[in-house]
Amino acid sequence: MTYCVGIINRDGLLMIADTRTNAGLDNIATFRKLHVFRVPGEKTFVLATAGNLGFTQSVISILREGLEREEGRVERLVDQDSMFQAAQFVGEVIRHVYRTDGNAIEQHGASLEVSMLLGGQIRGRSLRLFMLYKAGNFIEATTDTPYLQIGEHKYGKPILDRAVTFNTDIYDALKLGLISMDSTMRSNLGVGLPIDILVMRRDAIDPEVEHRIEAGEPYFHDLRERWSAALRKAHNDIPPPPYGQKKS
């Protein structure tokens, strides 16, 4: 299982992804799900992946090494000239891998549910964030819906729904994204540390933060404890319901 979230706002873009994969209770491993494709100072694409690990790794490899075109030419993700073209290209590669490997994977009973988040910016172009589906089609985050999630998203969604807006400070948004990750980890053992994060300022092109949160990191541990304490305090501060109480 996986949980990844991307948030785009007035300040820039942030993306968060866990690293846990499992194929049964006794087969748990760590794999990176947040991938950066970059031409320094010119363009940065950030891709978060959820779903069948072999399938998504094939997609990542082709995006890096290139999809074969006519006359031996290859086309890579970093060759794209706009974020929209980049989203189209990732969708094309998803469909290519499905045509190549999809039937064999499904015949062996493996799940082929795949989804991806693609964010980034090219110099002189707009910062954008997309979510791609198994069919290679996609939607885009907007000022009204400034975040997108893939994987095990239901536990973290209420926090983002209540608190994240397009005008939220980017590091407040990062804090809220990490709280949503913690809530997901507490409710689903298939999501776990380490957590990869990336922060990119609008028009800066290159990332401001690329960091992996390991088990025992002081800030994340403190965030978890403070959030739990805040929830307990909020619960205790709300008066009990009056239903069924005896009237004096």
Side-chain angles (χ1 to χ4, degrees), residues 159-180:
I159 294 160
L160 302 179
D161 281 343
R162 288 178 179 271
V164 172
T165 71
F166 186 76
N167 291 315
T168 304
D169 174 83
I170 195 166
Y171 284 99
D172 281 341
L174 176 59
K175 176 176 63 178
L176 291 164
L178 291 174
I179 291 171
S180 79

PDB file of all heavy atoms in Angstrom, residues 159-180:
ATOM      1  N   ILE A 159      -8.134  15.854   7.014  1.00  0.00           N
ATOM      2  CA  ILE A 159      -7.251  16.897   7.525  1.00  0.00           C
ATOM      3  C   ILE A 159      -6.986  17.937   6.443  1.00  0.00           C
ATOM      4  O   ILE A 159      -7.074  19.149   6.678  1.00  0.00           O
ATOM      5  CB  ILE A 159      -5.934  16.275   8.019  1.00  0.00           C
ATOM      6  CG1 ILE A 159      -6.202  15.383   9.226  1.00  0.00           C
ATOM      7  CG2 ILE A 159      -4.901  17.346   8.358  1.00  0.00           C
ATOM      8  CD1 ILE A 159      -5.130  14.388   9.506  1.00  0.00           C
ATOM      9  N   LEU A 160      -6.697  17.479   5.231  1.00  0.00           N
ATOM     10  CA  LEU A 160      -6.418  18.404   4.138  1.00  0.00           C
ATOM     11  C   LEU A 160      -7.673  19.170   3.740  1.00  0.00           C
ATOM     12  O   LEU A 160      -7.610  20.369   3.441  1.00  0.00           O
ATOM     13  CB  LEU A 160      -5.855  17.631   2.944  1.00  0.00           C
ATOM     14  CG  LEU A 160      -4.582  16.821   3.223  1.00  0.00           C
ATOM     15  CD1 LEU A 160      -4.149  16.080   1.964  1.00  0.00           C
ATOM     16  CD2 LEU A 160      -3.458  17.713   3.722  1.00  0.00           C
ATOM     17  N   ASP A 161      -8.813  18.481   3.742  1.00  0.00           N
ATOM     18  CA  ASP A 161     -10.075  19.142   3.392  1.00  0.00           C
ATOM     19  C   ASP A 161     -10.364  20.316   4.319  1.00  0.00           C
ATOM     20  O   ASP A 161     -10.855  21.367   3.892  1.00  0.00           O
ATOM     21  CB  ASP A 161     -11.242  18.149   3.478  1.00  0.00           C
ATOM     22  CG  ASP A 161     -11.328  17.246   2.258  1.00  0.00           C
ATOM     23  OD1 ASP A 161     -10.720  17.573   1.222  1.00  0.00           O
ATOM     24  OD2 ASP A 161     -12.009  16.211   2.336  1.00  0.00           O
ATOM     25  N   ARG A 162     -10.086  20.153   5.597  1.00  0.00           N
ATOM     26  CA  ARG A 162     -10.433  21.175   6.585  1.00  0.00           C
ATOM     27  C   ARG A 162      -9.424  22.319   6.638  1.00  0.00           C
ATOM     28  O   ARG A 162      -9.782  23.437   7.046  1.00  0.00           O
ATOM     29  CB  ARG A 162     -10.521  20.547   7.984  1.00  0.00           C
ATOM     30  CG  ARG A 162     -11.738  19.658   8.196  1.00  0.00           C
ATOM     31  CD  ARG A 162     -11.706  19.040   9.588  1.00  0.00           C
ATOM     32  NE  ARG A 162     -12.873  18.191   9.826  1.00  0.00           N
ATOM     33  CZ  ARG A 162     -14.024  18.623  10.329  1.00  0.00           C
ATOM     34  NH1 ARG A 162     -14.155  19.903  10.641  1.00  0.00           N
ATOM     35  NH2 ARG A 162     -15.032  17.796  10.523  1.00  0.00           N
ATOM     36  N   ALA A 163      -8.185  22.074   6.244  1.00  0.00           N
ATOM     37  CA  ALA A 163      -7.139  23.048   6.573  1.00  0.00           C
ATOM     38  C   ALA A 163      -6.356  23.615   5.393  1.00  0.00           C
ATOM     39  O   ALA A 163      -5.807  24.714   5.500  1.00  0.00           O
ATOM     40  CB  ALA A 163      -6.153  22.418   7.568  1.00  0.00           C
ATOM     41  N   VAL A 164      -6.263  22.905   4.275  1.00  0.00           N
ATOM     42  CA  VAL A 164      -5.397  23.347   3.182  1.00  0.00           C
ATOM     43  C   VAL A 164      -6.189  24.159   2.165  1.00  0.00           C
ATOM     44  O   VAL A 164      -7.230  23.715   1.672  1.00  0.00           O
ATOM     45  CB  VAL A 164      -4.734  22.140   2.483  1.00  0.00           C
ATOM     46  CG1 VAL A 164      -3.989  22.594   1.231  1.00  0.00           C
ATOM     47  CG2 VAL A 164      -3.760  21.448   3.431  1.00  0.00           C
ATOM     48  N   THR A 165      -5.689  25.360   1.864  1.00  0.00           N
ATOM     49  CA  THR A 165      -6.238  26.176   0.795  1.00  0.00           C
ATOM     50  C   THR A 165      -5.097  26.633  -0.107  1.00  0.00           C
ATOM     51  O   THR A 165      -3.906  26.439   0.210  1.00  0.00           O
ATOM     52  CB  THR A 165      -6.968  27.429   1.339  1.00  0.00           C
ATOM     53  OG1 THR A 165      -6.001  28.356   1.852  1.00  0.00           O
ATOM     54  CG2 THR A 165      -7.955  27.044   2.436  1.00  0.00           C
ATOM     55  N   PHE A 166      -5.461  27.276  -1.209  1.00  0.00           N
ATOM     56  CA  PHE A 166      -4.437  27.766  -2.134  1.00  0.00           C
ATOM     57  C   PHE A 166      -3.547  28.824  -1.473  1.00  0.00           C
ATOM     58  O   PHE A 166      -2.402  29.001  -1.865  1.00  0.00           O
ATOM     59  CB  PHE A 166      -5.102  28.343  -3.387  1.00  0.00           C
ATOM     60  CG  PHE A 166      -4.128  28.735  -4.461  1.00  0.00           C
ATOM     61  CD1 PHE A 166      -3.514  27.772  -5.255  1.00  0.00           C
ATOM     62  CD2 PHE A 166      -3.813  30.071  -4.681  1.00  0.00           C
ATOM     63  CE1 PHE A 166      -2.600  28.135  -6.239  1.00  0.00           C
ATOM     64  CE2 PHE A 166      -2.914  30.449  -5.659  1.00  0.00           C
ATOM     65  CZ  PHE A 166      -2.298  29.477  -6.448  1.00  0.00           C
ATOM     66  N   ASN A 167      -4.071  29.516  -0.464  1.00  0.00           N
ATOM     67  CA  ASN A 167      -3.314  30.588   0.189  1.00  0.00           C
ATOM     68  C   ASN A 167      -2.579  30.140   1.446  1.00  0.00           C
ATOM     69  O   ASN A 167      -1.969  30.967   2.132  1.00  0.00           O
ATOM     70  CB  ASN A 167      -4.256  31.744   0.528  1.00  0.00           C
ATOM     71  CG  ASN A 167      -4.737  32.461  -0.720  1.00  0.00           C
ATOM     72  OD1 ASN A 167      -3.952  32.746  -1.618  1.00  0.00           O
ATOM     73  ND2 ASN A 167      -6.029  32.734  -0.789  1.00  0.00           N
ATOM     74  N   THR A 168      -2.632  28.861   1.762  1.00  0.00           N
ATOM     75  CA  THR A 168      -1.884  28.346   2.912  1.00  0.00           C
ATOM     76  C   THR A 168      -0.384  28.480   2.673  1.00  0.00           C
ATOM     77  O   THR A 168       0.112  28.136   1.594  1.00  0.00           O
ATOM     78  CB  THR A 168      -2.237  26.868   3.156  1.00  0.00           C
ATOM     79  OG1 THR A 168      -3.635  26.724   3.328  1.00  0.00           O
ATOM     80  CG2 THR A 168      -1.526  26.330   4.389  1.00  0.00           C
ATOM     81  N   ASP A 169       0.342  28.984   3.664  1.00  0.00           N
ATOM     82  CA  ASP A 169       1.794  29.050   3.558  1.00  0.00           C
ATOM     83  C   ASP A 169       2.356  27.665   3.249  1.00  0.00           C
ATOM     84  O   ASP A 169       1.889  26.648   3.770  1.00  0.00           O
ATOM     85  CB  ASP A 169       2.379  29.556   4.881  1.00  0.00           C
ATOM     86  CG  ASP A 169       3.901  29.523   4.888  1.00  0.00           C
ATOM     87  OD1 ASP A 169       4.510  30.474   4.378  1.00  0.00           O
ATOM     88  OD2 ASP A 169       4.455  28.524   5.404  1.00  0.00           O
ATOM     89  N   ILE A 170       3.374  27.614   2.410  1.00  0.00           N
ATOM     90  CA  ILE A 170       3.837  26.323   1.907  1.00  0.00           C
ATOM     91  C   ILE A 170       4.372  25.421   3.025  1.00  0.00           C
ATOM     92  O   ILE A 170       4.186  24.194   2.990  1.00  0.00           O
ATOM     93  CB  ILE A 170       4.895  26.511   0.791  1.00  0.00           C
ATOM     94  CG1 ILE A 170       5.088  25.194   0.031  1.00  0.00           C
ATOM     95  CG2 ILE A 170       6.210  27.046   1.339  1.00  0.00           C
ATOM     96  CD1 ILE A 170       5.823  25.333  -1.270  1.00  0.00           C
ATOM     97  N   TYR A 171       4.986  25.999   4.053  1.00  0.00           N
ATOM     98  CA  TYR A 171       5.494  25.154   5.130  1.00  0.00           C
ATOM     99  C   TYR A 171       4.400  24.779   6.121  1.00  0.00           C
ATOM    100  O   TYR A 171       4.491  23.727   6.777  1.00  0.00           O
ATOM    101  CB  TYR A 171       6.709  25.792   5.803  1.00  0.00           C
ATOM    102  CG  TYR A 171       7.936  25.639   4.934  1.00  0.00           C
ATOM    103  CD1 TYR A 171       8.366  26.684   4.119  1.00  0.00           C
ATOM    104  CD2 TYR A 171       8.622  24.433   4.869  1.00  0.00           C
ATOM    105  CE1 TYR A 171       9.464  26.537   3.281  1.00  0.00           C
ATOM    106  CE2 TYR A 171       9.719  24.273   4.041  1.00  0.00           C
ATOM    107  CZ  TYR A 171      10.140  25.318   3.242  1.00  0.00           C
ATOM    108  OH  TYR A 171      11.221  25.156   2.404  1.00  0.00           O
ATOM    109  N   ASP A 172       3.348  25.588   6.217  1.00  0.00           N
ATOM    110  CA  ASP A 172       2.161  25.140   6.937  1.00  0.00           C
ATOM    111  C   ASP A 172       1.501  23.988   6.187  1.00  0.00           C
ATOM    112  O   ASP A 172       1.022  23.018   6.800  1.00  0.00           O
ATOM    113  CB  ASP A 172       1.164  26.289   7.104  1.00  0.00           C
ATOM    114  CG  ASP A 172       1.545  27.236   8.226  1.00  0.00           C
ATOM    115  OD1 ASP A 172       2.343  26.825   9.096  1.00  0.00           O
ATOM    116  OD2 ASP A 172       1.052  28.373   8.230  1.00  0.00           O
ATOM    117  N   ALA A 173       1.475  24.090   4.856  1.00  0.00           N
ATOM    118  CA  ALA A 173       0.918  23.006   4.045  1.00  0.00           C
ATOM    119  C   ALA A 173       1.740  21.728   4.203  1.00  0.00           C
ATOM    120  O   ALA A 173       1.191  20.618   4.261  1.00  0.00           O
ATOM    121  CB  ALA A 173       0.849  23.418   2.577  1.00  0.00           C
ATOM    122  N   LEU A 174       3.065  21.880   4.292  1.00  0.00           N
ATOM    123  CA  LEU A 174       3.917  20.710   4.519  1.00  0.00           C
ATOM    124  C   LEU A 174       3.602  20.076   5.868  1.00  0.00           C
ATOM    125  O   LEU A 174       3.501  18.846   5.980  1.00  0.00           O
ATOM    126  CB  LEU A 174       5.387  21.118   4.452  1.00  0.00           C
ATOM    127  CG  LEU A 174       6.412  20.023   4.764  1.00  0.00           C
ATOM    128  CD1 LEU A 174       6.268  18.842   3.818  1.00  0.00           C
ATOM    129  CD2 LEU A 174       7.825  20.589   4.707  1.00  0.00           C
ATOM    130  N   LYS A 175       3.440  20.900   6.888  1.00  0.00           N
ATOM    131  CA  LYS A 175       3.080  20.387   8.211  1.00  0.00           C
ATOM    132  C   LYS A 175       1.769  19.609   8.147  1.00  0.00           C
ATOM    133  O   LYS A 175       1.667  18.496   8.693  1.00  0.00           O
ATOM    134  CB  LYS A 175       2.971  21.541   9.205  1.00  0.00           C
ATOM    135  CG  LYS A 175       2.518  21.142  10.605  1.00  0.00           C
ATOM    136  CD  LYS A 175       2.527  22.335  11.543  1.00  0.00           C
ATOM    137  CE  LYS A 175       1.552  23.398  11.100  1.00  0.00           C
ATOM    138  NZ  LYS A 175       1.517  24.551  12.027  1.00  0.00           N
ATOM    139  N   LEU A 176       0.768  20.177   7.473  1.00  0.00           N
ATOM    140  CA  LEU A 176      -0.533  19.507   7.357  1.00  0.00           C
ATOM    141  C   LEU A 176      -0.414  18.224   6.539  1.00  0.00           C
ATOM    142  O   LEU A 176      -1.064  17.217   6.842  1.00  0.00           O
ATOM    143  CB  LEU A 176      -1.546  20.457   6.723  1.00  0.00           C
ATOM    144  CG  LEU A 176      -1.944  21.649   7.603  1.00  0.00           C
ATOM    145  CD1 LEU A 176      -2.615  22.725   6.762  1.00  0.00           C
ATOM    146  CD2 LEU A 176      -2.870  21.195   8.728  1.00  0.00           C
ATOM    147  N   GLY A 177       0.420  18.251   5.505  1.00  0.00           N
ATOM    148  CA  GLY A 177       0.639  17.036   4.723  1.00  0.00           C
ATOM    149  C   GLY A 177       1.274  15.929   5.553  1.00  0.00           C
ATOM    150  O   GLY A 177       0.919  14.752   5.428  1.00  0.00           O
ATOM    151  N   LEU A 178       2.204  16.303   6.428  1.00  0.00           N
ATOM    152  CA  LEU A 178       2.835  15.305   7.296  1.00  0.00           C
ATOM    153  C   LEU A 178       1.853  14.788   8.347  1.00  0.00           C
ATOM    154  O   LEU A 178       1.900  13.607   8.709  1.00  0.00           O
ATOM    155  CB  LEU A 178       4.071  15.903   7.968  1.00  0.00           C
ATOM    156  CG  LEU A 178       5.253  16.192   7.031  1.00  0.00           C
ATOM    157  CD1 LEU A 178       6.363  16.905   7.779  1.00  0.00           C
ATOM    158  CD2 LEU A 178       5.772  14.905   6.395  1.00  0.00           C
ATOM    159  N   ILE A 179       0.961  15.657   8.839  1.00  0.00           N
ATOM    160  CA  ILE A 179      -0.079  15.184   9.753  1.00  0.00           C
ATOM    161  C   ILE A 179      -0.997  14.195   9.046  1.00  0.00           C
ATOM    162  O   ILE A 179      -1.383  13.167   9.614  1.00  0.00           O
ATOM    163  CB  ILE A 179      -0.877  16.376  10.325  1.00  0.00           C
ATOM    164  CG1 ILE A 179       0.001  17.189  11.281  1.00  0.00           C
ATOM    165  CG2 ILE A 179      -2.129  15.900  11.048  1.00  0.00           C
ATOM    166  CD1 ILE A 179      -0.624  18.494  11.732  1.00  0.00           C
ATOM    167  N   SER A 180      -1.337  14.484   7.780  1.00  0.00           N
ATOM    168  CA  SER A 180      -2.180  13.552   7.029  1.00  0.00           C
ATOM    169  C   SER A 180      -1.462  12.227   6.801  1.00  0.00           C
ATOM    170  O   SER A 180      -2.079  11.159   6.826  1.00  0.00           O
ATOM    171  CB  SER A 180      -2.613  14.163   5.694  1.00  0.00           C
ATOM    172  OG  SER A 180      -1.601  14.103   4.719  1.00  0.00           O
TER     173      SER A 180
END
